[in-house]
Amino acid sequence: MTGVAAPEARPRRGLRRVLGLLAVAGPGLIAANAGNDAGGILTYASAGAQFAYRTLFLMVLVTVALVVVQEMCARLGAYTGEGLGALIREQFSPRASAGALLLVANAGLTVSEFAGIGAAVELFGVSRYVAIPLALVALWVLTVFGTYSKGERIAIVLSLAFLAYPVAAFLAHPNSRLVARDLLTPQFAHSTAFLLMAVALIGTTITPYMQFYVASAVVDKKIGPKDYPAERVDTVNGAILSNVVSIFIIIATAAAVGGSGPLASAREAAEALRPAVGSAAPILFGLGLLGASLLAAAVVPLSSAYGIAEAVGAERSVSSSLRRAPLFFGLFTMQLVVGAGVALAPGNLISLVVNMQVLNGLITPALLWFILTLANRRSVLGDAANRPLFRAVSTVCVASVGVLALAVVVLKVLGKA
């Protein structure tokens, strides 16, 4: 019979589809999960402690925006074969603006990732003065002497640490009625503190380094137009799953200490869960924080190295050698050393972590404008350029982020933030 697939052909076709998805899985999932870094976890926990469940509806809106932005970045990488740094260099002027913005945004973030590693191991009674240097050496060796595919597998394994937070949320026995209400309807607080938290949540969820990383990783993995449908699934699913984890962090902390005020340290965040979760609180929080920090401690400096090397047209690939890509690996190494060194300094780095998320929230609109303009241009993407409906949705997302960032700038100038 014509037009009817043979019975044995259907399983074979399904198997090929699954294998195709697995073959490209990684860039979108890793980039989005890296956004749940040390700063992200502490910011989400602070949101739950300070405003209980009231930021959940905002997180739903931010999830939509993250899906839209990450999909555009992955599509740009797949259809042009170039990362954002290279595309911005070719299409805009001044050419160094993107690299400068990324360096500023990532400088404090790299510090916060190593601070997160230190804070996580201290929950288990291990000194950060031992753990941070070991993490530095391990990340450097695995990245410089590894390949993209090996690094990707390690990153995906580290992502499993995020399963600790859904477990913590369920153990905390949240008020399901309030959770459902605040997820589905806006419950915003009319205060400067809530506005600053909103920008911090946007800054830690739609982070500049994630956009640079996903586009460059798609190129590094040699994913082209024919592979893009599967990569699109990876990117969209990664963005959604990462924000589901973020929402669980807010729910867990809100259920335990919602309305008590902002948190001052990782240990305080872990201890806040103890009344609801019990003795497992430090273990659950520490495992999630350690895995997240290790993952982001590699991805954040890699995104800077990708972006700046692309901006000057230098060799950039994790699979390259030190000899072939000295600038790329030099930038990566410098950021690791400086980040680890500052994180080893005495003192509490929690204020730096949260303030860097606000800074990201202010820088993000400029980068999103670049991304939106590139994805709209048929001269860049041809038939894969944004369609009218997608263009409208993405424009609203970018404009909304820009308005919030502008509001924070105005409040800062007026001395009210």
Side-chain angles (χ1 to χ4, degrees):
M1 292 176 64
T2 59
V4 179
E8 65 272 12
R10 293 193 188 106
R12 199 172 299 151
R13 189 180 304 151
L15 178 61
R16 282 200 300 268
R17 188 177 294 115
V18 171
L19 291 175
L21 289 172
L22 291 175
V24 295
L29 180 66
I30 292 169
N33 275 331
N36 287 337
D37 57 3
I41 289 170
L42 293 174
T43 302
Y44 298 132
S46 283
Q50 194 168 357
F51 299 105
Y53 306 114
R54 299 182 78 170
T55 58
L56 291 181
F57 184 78
L58 174 63
M59 287 304 301
V60 173
L61 299 180
V62 173
T63 301
V64 174
L66 180 63
V67 168
V68 168
V69 171
Q70 293 295 94
E71 192 278 333
M72 285 193 291
C73 293
R75 181 157 33 104
L76 284 166
Y79 279 86
T80 67
E82 295 183 296
L84 290 181
L87 290 170
I88 292 171
R89 181 195 71 200
E90 295 167 1
Q91 298 287 326
F92 302 99
S93 183
R95 301 188 175 197
S97 59
L101 285 175
L102 194 64
L103 262 185
V104 170
N106 284 3
L109 283 178
T110 305
V111 175
S112 72
E113 308 315 342
F114 279 103
I117 292 170
V121 298
E122 285 177 343
L123 292 173
F124 303 120
V126 178
S127 171
R128 63 174 170 170
Y129 297 103
V130 174
I132 289 178
L134 287 176
L136 165 64
V137 173
L139 290 170
W140 189 83
V141 170
L142 289 171
T143 302
V144 175
F145 296 104
T147 62
Y148 178 83
S149 59
K150 290 179 181 177
E152 182 180 81
R153 287 194 290 270
I154 293 171
I156 290 174
V157 170
L158 288 174
S159 298
L160 295 176
F162 292 117
L163 294 175
Y165 295 112
V167 173
F170 283 113
L171 290 177
H173 301 293
N175 186 319
S176 57
R177 184 184 63 81
L178 289 179
V179 169
R181 185 199 69 181
D182 291 1
L183 275 171
L184 299 175
T185 58
Q187 303 291 328
F188 301 149
H190 300 288
S191 68
T192 300
F194 189 89
L195 177 60
L196 288 173
M197 179 57 72
V199 174
L201 289 172
I202 292 170
T204 195
T205 305
I206 310 175
T207 315
Y209 73 79
M210 292 164 57
Q211 281 82 70
F212 275 87
Y213 180 84
V214 72
S216 297
V218 165
V219 175
D220 211 346
K221 199 172 180 181
K222 298 179 173 55
I223 294 171
K226 70 181 180 63
D227 303 312
Y228 185 66
E231 177 53 38
R232 187 172 185 270
V233 173
D234 167 54
T235 301
V236 171
N237 286 348
I240 293 173
L241 289 173
S242 71
N243 271 21
V244 167
V245 169
S246 307
I247 287 171
F248 275 124
I249 296 172
I250 294 173
I251 291 172
T253 316
V257 291
S260 63
L263 299 172
S265 68
R267 181 171 293 279
E268 187 175 314
E271 289 301 318
L273 296 177
R274 188 181 290 275
V277 179
S279 60
I283 297 173
L284 288 172
F285 193 88
L287 285 175
L289 181 60
L290 180 59
S293 301
L294 285 168
L295 175 59
V299 172
V300 172
L302 273 178
S303 70
S304 295
Y306 274 128
I308 295 173
E310 288 165 357
V312 300
E315 172 69 23
R316 65 277 183 185
S317 174
V318 173
S319 299
S320 292
S321 63
L322 274 168
R323 184 186 297 273
R324 290 183 57 203
L327 177 63
F328 177 78
F329 286 115
L331 287 167
F332 175 75
T333 302
M334 177 192 71
Q335 291 173 93
L336 284 185
V337 171
V338 172
V342 175
L344 285 169
N348 193 329
L349 297 174
I350 187 72
S351 59
L352 169 66
V353 170
V354 176
N355 286 334
M356 285 310 302
Q357 308 314 317
V358 176
L359 177 60
N360 271 321
L362 298 177
I363 291 173
T364 296
L367 177 60
L368 295 188
W369 180 84
F370 283 131
I371 294 168
L372 178 60
T373 304
L374 287 168
N376 284 342
R377 288 183 177 176
R378 294 183 67 84
S379 60
V380 175
L381 283 176
D383 292 339
N386 286 342
R387 302 287 176 86
L389 178 59
F390 195 93
R391 180 181 298 191
V393 173
S394 56
T395 300
V396 169
C397 291
V398 172
S400 299
V401 173
V403 168
L404 278 173
L406 179 62
V408 170
V409 172
V410 171
L411 289 172
K412 290 284 187 184
V413 171
L414 295 177
K416 296 183 178 181

